[in-house]
Amino acid sequence: MLTSELRGWFAGRLPDGVYDEIVDVVVDREEITVTGRIKEPKIAEDAPEEERAAANEGRAAEFRERTREDRMAVARQAERRFDRKVSWAVEIGGERHLFTNVSAPVMTRLRQPERAVLDLLVSGGVARSRSDALGWCVRLVQQHSGEWLTELQESLVNVERVRANGPDGSGSTTSS
């Protein structure tokens, strides 16, 4: 299942006017997150940044409430078809607002030095638990390795394309 196919599927299923455009569709084993752009509210051009941020946050909340039924109807279809939960987000004024998303448990085995790092983050008040600390570490890697992670993701998309066009002729792909 290629991201471009999913983007097209959602674009075809969502009623006109839900999003101005679909900006991003992200897929993993548990979840599909659909992000679309919406228009910023009209405020004075010289409005302070705090006012602009508050207006955009309000617009995102209004969008969430107004489009809930349409989005949930499409999500039910997608969940049956793709066997994954669907989450939604909006992009407005360069900021992303994620509505709901899956918090999936992840099994991991860590050795004592790695556990010590997590425990230090908990003791230092950076995280409430080892689980929160691990999430914090992942976000830190994302922040500082963004370009490399993007390149890796793009290469995986190419691998999926090659597999889909492989000798079995089925055209089926798997996604992780």
Side-chain angles (χ1 to χ4, degrees):
M1 171 177 11
L2 297 175
T3 302
S4 59
E5 292 173 33
L6 278 173
R7 186 188 332 248
W9 189 89
F10 279 98
R13 290 286 198 266
L14 285 168
D16 289 340
V18 171
Y19 287 127
D20 292 341
E21 69 176 303
I22 294 178
V23 177
D24 198 15
V25 176
V26 178
V27 184
D28 68 13
R29 291 180 205 156
E30 292 82 24
E31 178 179 29
I32 300 169
T33 302
V34 180
T35 303
R37 186 171 292 120
I38 61 174
K39 288 182 179 67
E40 293 183 58
K42 293 182 181 178
I43 59 174
E45 284 189 33
D46 61 345
E49 188 54 39
E50 300 84 26
E51 182 179 340
R52 188 170 307 284
N56 287 343
E57 190 172 317
R59 176 60 55 89
E62 181 276 334
F63 170 87
R64 181 181 187 186
E65 294 164 13
R66 178 175 43 83
T67 63
R68 180 174 279 122
E69 283 186 41
D70 287 334
R71 289 182 296 103
M72 292 304 102
V74 172
R76 283 189 293 276
Q77 294 171 20
E79 287 169 4
R80 281 191 302 271
R81 180 172 176 153
F82 303 115
D83 197 31
R84 289 170 174 80
K85 292 293 183 185
V86 176
S87 298
W88 303 94
V90 295
E91 188 176 281
I92 181 170
E95 294 284 320
R96 245 177 220 200
H97 299 267
L98 184 61
F99 298 150
T100 54
N101 62 325
V102 173
S103 180
V106 178
M107 286 294 291
T108 185
R109 295 182 187 274
L110 298 176
R111 301 205 186 284
Q112 191 173 27
E114 291 97 6
R115 292 192 312 268
V117 170
L118 299 181
D119 291 340
L120 177 61
L121 293 171
V122 172
S123 297
V126 173
R128 292 183 307 253
S129 65
R130 282 180 171 176
S131 178
D132 283 345
L134 189 56
W136 184 87
C137 292
V138 169
R139 286 188 299 278
L140 192 63
V141 168
Q142 280 179 311
Q143 181 181 11
H144 294 289
S145 303
E147 189 175 309
W148 180 82
L149 290 170
T150 299
E151 187 177 335
L152 181 60
Q153 179 62 41
E154 289 170 357
S155 70
L156 290 175
V157 168
N158 289 331
V159 168
E160 281 189 26
R161 274 195 203 106
V162 170
R163 284 184 183 152
N165 295 323
D168 69 358
S170 69
S172 66
T173 62
T174 58
S175 178
S176 47

